[in-house]
Amino acid sequence: MKLCQHPLLLWLISNIYSGHTEEIKPRVTIKPDSPVFRGETVTLRCDICDGVTSWRYNWYKDSSTSVFSEGQEHTFSFVSESDSGKYSCYGTETEGSRRSQRSDEVTLTVSVPRAVLSVSPQKWLTEGDHVTLICEVNGSSTGWTFSWFTVTVSGSRNDYELLSDSSRGAGGKYTVSSATLNHTGVYVCRAEGDKTAVYTTYSNKQPLWVTGVSPPVSLIINPSRTQHFPSVSLSLSCEGQSNSDGWTVRRYTDSGWLEDCSSIRRGSQTGSTCTIRSTSTSDTGVYWCQSESGENYHHVNITVHFGVILESPVNPVTEGDNMTLCCLYPYISPPKLRADFYKDGSLIQNLETTEMIIPTVSKSHEGFYFCKHTERGESPKSWISVRGESRQGSQISVLKILSSVLAACPYLIVTVVLIYKCCRMRGKTPE
């Protein structure tokens, strides 16, 4: 039972107002109260608690003197952003002369439900890694069914293609327990209300980059580094183990756009080589090689930056190898700076030299690196991955050892025979 309909309260109110005409104040409620999304059904209700049930109601919006609607309730069957505003109501007796005050204003805010996509633990993966895409709706945690898409290029337009196993992420999490090269791509999500036909916008784009152990093609960058200065020429070539026919360079920029080399401003594709004649900061993004059948390999994150940059390996570093990092600045000659070097935000070497050498790299050296100069500033961060020695490489090493041993065997046998004969001859020498 509503408070204003309680019998004792109605009797008290009726007696209080029986001897005078003081105006009373209505109360406005909104259902649902919050959050309210575009496309939902929303009801405004005006209640006057005075024991009298016969009232005429007028509704006003944004302090206007014009009547917006009449009736105790006003329902928006399909609410939109234009319905946002401050609402109040006013009542007059149908069989009397009393009038209420205007109620306090209640704010109705209608927003577009937006899906937000994130990735855990990170978007740079190696084959076999675990990764989870997480889709959430701002301002609402329950009551949604999620769909998952990949972004594809169609001419100069980006399209969304529904994943065949989209239902796996119905609960808001799309999990890949063992990543493969086929999981490389740019993902978005969208949600639909479980009880209402309300759709969110497509989420922000979230790429996943999966690196294989021995890709059939490599992206060769000239100059050979991942960070570059503006207004310089940059060459990217796809070179395969046998031939490079049919491979093109494609990129995903920081602005969230997928495009081919031929679509890049100041860019051109000749065979398997992409040339950017004069780089700009808008060329920052992930570049890779793609085959005619849609396979893509060797993703490299390239940054174009004014000021200090870090020179670091383009390819993953093999465990046991040495790794050299340099800090470069374009306005000095030579362009190398004495700088501080950082890994994952922690200082690992101070201003002692123009380069940092890490001998015998291990998996623990994997991470984000950058350099910093007290006056010139700091470079962007670059991810450096470390891979173990391949099984094939280990087999080759074993074969080399065996070959060396077998090659040395004849010499060992001859040496043993000579020593044996020498010992026998000494034994036959007369006293």
Side-chain angles (χ1 to χ4, degrees):
M1 178 181 293
K2 293 184 178 180
L3 182 62
C4 63
Q5 294 177 342
H6 193 282
L8 179 58
L9 182 60
L10 293 176
W11 179 82
L12 288 172
I13 292 173
S14 179
N15 278 274
I16 289 172
Y17 284 101
S18 60
H20 54 81
T21 59
E22 181 181 343
E23 293 181 343
I24 59 176
K25 197 171 192 177
R27 184 173 67 93
V28 176
T29 54
I30 302 177
K31 288 186 178 182
D33 50 0
S34 66
V36 175
F37 294 123
R38 179 182 63 188
E40 290 187 309
T41 298
V42 177
T43 298
L44 303 175
R45 180 179 174 87
C46 185
D47 286 301
I48 298 177
C49 298
D50 73 329
V52 179
T53 57
S54 184
W55 288 89
R56 288 191 301 270
Y57 299 89
N58 291 333
W59 288 94
Y60 302 88
K61 181 182 179 183
D62 296 332
S63 301
S64 172
T65 57
S66 301
V67 175
F68 168 76
S69 178
E70 296 180 349
Q72 187 174 14
E73 292 185 347
H74 177 81
T75 299
F76 301 93
S77 58
F78 195 92
V79 73
S80 67
E81 296 93 317
S82 63
D83 295 319
S84 295
K86 296 180 178 180
Y87 292 87
S88 59
C89 67
Y90 168 83
T92 57
E93 284 184 316
T94 56
E95 298 179 358
S97 58
R98 286 196 301 160
R99 300 172 182 270
S100 75
Q101 300 178 38
R102 185 182 289 197
S103 70
D104 292 331
E105 292 181 324
V106 174
T107 301
L108 171 63
T109 302
V110 182
S111 60
V112 179
R114 300 186 183 279
V116 178
L117 183 59
S118 59
V119 61
S120 178
Q122 64 172 359
K123 61 186 178 183
W124 289 95
L125 309 167
T126 303
E127 281 184 297
D129 285 352
H130 175 280
V131 67
T132 299
L133 293 167
I134 304 164
C135 192
E136 299 174 296
V137 179
N138 273 355
S140 179
S141 58
T142 58
W144 299 95
T145 297
F146 297 88
S147 299
W148 302 83
F149 305 80
T150 53
V151 182
T152 59
V153 176
S154 177
S156 59
R157 187 179 74 251
N158 282 188
D159 291 334
Y160 300 129
E161 183 177 329
L162 183 67
L163 290 176
S164 59
D165 59 349
S166 180
S167 59
R168 286 203 304 118
K173 291 185 178 181
Y174 183 89
T175 299
V176 177
S177 57
S178 182
T180 66
L181 293 176
N182 291 334
H183 289 112
T184 292
V186 180
Y187 295 79
V188 297
C189 66
R190 190 173 65 169
E192 177 186 4
D194 289 338
K195 296 182 180 179
T196 58
V198 178
Y199 285 91
T200 68
T201 58
Y202 286 103
S203 71
N204 54 299
K205 295 170 183 169
Q206 186 62 254
L208 291 181
W209 311 115
V210 184
T211 301
V213 178
S214 55
V217 69
S218 295
L219 182 64
I220 308 301
I221 302 172
N222 187 21
S224 183
R225 56 176 181 258
T226 59
Q227 296 185 15
H228 299 267
F229 301 122
S231 303
V232 298
S233 177
L234 180 62
S235 172
L236 307 103
S237 300
C238 296
E239 296 187 6
Q241 296 174 356
S242 54
N243 63 72
S244 303
D245 295 339
W247 293 95
T248 57
V249 176
R250 181 167 283 187
R251 76 176 185 181
Y252 175 75
T253 63
D254 278 2
S255 59
W257 196 251
L258 274 170
E259 57 189 350
D260 297 317
C261 177
S262 56
S263 302
I264 298 174
R265 186 183 177 187
R266 302 177 306 280
S268 60
Q269 178 98 24
T270 303
S272 61
T273 299
C274 173
T275 301
I276 301 176
R277 294 183 297 277
S278 180
T279 55
S280 70
T281 54
S282 63
D283 292 316
T284 295
V286 177
Y287 293 71
W288 66 92
C289 296
Q290 183 156 316
S291 68
E292 293 176 329
S293 59
E295 299 171 312
N296 47 74
Y297 297 98
H298 201 176
H299 305 85
V300 178
N301 190 22
I302 293 178
T303 303
V304 180
H305 178 68
F306 283 101
V308 177
I309 65 171
L310 178 70
E311 186 175 64
S312 60
V314 172
N315 300 314
V317 183
T318 302
E319 285 185 306
D321 288 352
N322 296 340
M323 179 173 70
T324 301
L325 304 176
C326 295
C327 202
L328 305 181
Y329 187 67
Y331 306 114
I332 58 175
S333 183
K336 291 186 178 181
L337 284 175
R338 291 182 179 273
D340 297 332
F341 290 87
Y342 294 78
K343 174 183 178 290
D344 297 330
S346 299
L347 179 67
I348 53 176
Q349 181 169 302
N350 57 17
L351 290 161
E352 293 179 353
T353 180
T354 56
E355 62 183 25
M356 185 183 76
I357 300 175
I358 301 177
T360 318
V361 169
S362 66
K363 194 68 176 176
S364 64
H365 290 109
E366 193 169 74
F368 285 99
Y369 289 79
F370 69 95
C371 64
K372 182 177 181 180
H373 189 273
T374 52
E375 296 177 358
R376 311 295 187 186
E378 67 180 56
S379 73
K381 296 177 178 62
S382 279
W383 172 260
I384 296 177
S385 59
V386 178
R387 65 185 175 194
E389 188 177 3
S390 68
R391 194 171 180 182
Q392 182 180 2
S394 301
Q395 291 172 348
I396 292 172
S397 298
V398 172
L399 288 174
K400 283 183 177 179
I401 294 170
L402 289 173
S403 299
S404 300
V405 171
L406 291 173
C409 277
Y411 299 99
L412 290 173
I413 293 170
V414 170
T415 302
V416 170
V417 170
L418 289 174
I419 292 172
Y420 175 75
K421 285 186 175 183
C422 183
C423 291
R424 288 195 63 184
M425 289 178 67
R426 284 183 180 181
K428 292 180 179 180
T429 302
E431 296 181 359

